[in-house]
Amino acid sequence: MGYTAAELKEKITLGRDSIFRVAPLAAGGAMPAAAAYKELCLASEVTVGFENKTISFQNFCTGGDEIEIPVGSTGSVDLSEMQWIEDDEALLIMETAARDLTAIAYEYLPAGAGAGKPVYRGVMDVNSWKLKSASDGTVTVENPTLSSAGKPEKGTLT
């Protein structure tokens, strides 16, 4: 089914409306309250998703054919670089998580904030934290290396 130009204008979500925010996990590793999340000001892009994992084997019973068995999912979170601001709350959450080797919660809002809009939630580890200074530019946080277990939860904002 195709769309008319008018239908596309109504259906397309612009990336500039997207929001990515982070928060420390609550006591006992529970997901934090909405007010705990702080928005990251990313320079260019964010990717949130997952990849299904499988193991494969072959044996005489299958006639040598390979069989794939699903064994779970690996989450994927990739962030662009960010301008470093010394007292930015979201950056402090990320840096603290990297220093303390603790997981943090994230929310990705591809259509922006608002009741009924989609949200993807998960937990991630910040495995690298690097600041970069350019003589003719701003101080930035390089793309941090992140890892996330399982699929992000998909829901809607209330």
Side-chain angles (χ1 to χ4, degrees):
M1 171 182 166
Y3 294 105
T4 66
E7 288 172 327
L8 279 175
K9 282 185 178 181
E10 291 179 19
K11 292 183 177 288
I12 296 298
T13 302
L14 299 177
R16 69 178 180 216
D17 296 332
S18 298
I19 296 170
F20 188 88
R21 50 195 185 189
V22 296
L25 290 172
M31 293 301 278
Y37 285 90
K38 304 301 177 194
E39 187 174 334
L40 276 174
C41 292
L42 299 169
S44 61
E45 63 187 29
V46 57
T47 305
V48 173
F50 63 92
E51 182 176 339
N52 292 322
K53 298 185 300 183
T54 61
I55 57 171
S56 60
F57 68 90
Q58 54 186 321
N59 61 27
F60 289 104
C61 294
T62 65
D65 290 339
E66 204 163 280
I67 303 290
E68 297 282 330
I69 298 176
V71 292
S73 300
T74 301
S76 172
V77 179
D78 296 304
L79 303 177
S80 68
E81 71 178 13
M82 300 155 267
Q83 276 72 40
W84 180 73
I85 299 168
E86 185 176 3
D87 60 355
D88 182 275
E89 291 178 283
L91 292 178
L92 291 171
I93 291 168
M94 299 272 295
E95 182 176 3
T96 301
R99 286 183 183 283
D100 296 347
L101 302 173
T102 56
I104 57 174
Y106 71 84
E107 287 188 330
Y108 170 52
L109 294 67
K117 292 190 177 188
V119 59
Y120 294 84
R121 292 183 177 101
V123 175
M124 67 181 186
D125 291 308
V126 182
N127 298 323
S128 72
W129 190 257
K130 299 176 187 176
L131 298 181
K132 178 174 71 173
S133 298
S135 63
D136 62 349
T138 61
V139 176
T140 59
V141 175
E142 286 189 349
N143 311 54
T145 305
L146 307 169
S147 62
S148 179
K151 296 176 186 174
E153 169 195 321
K154 182 179 181 182
T156 53
L157 293 172
T158 54

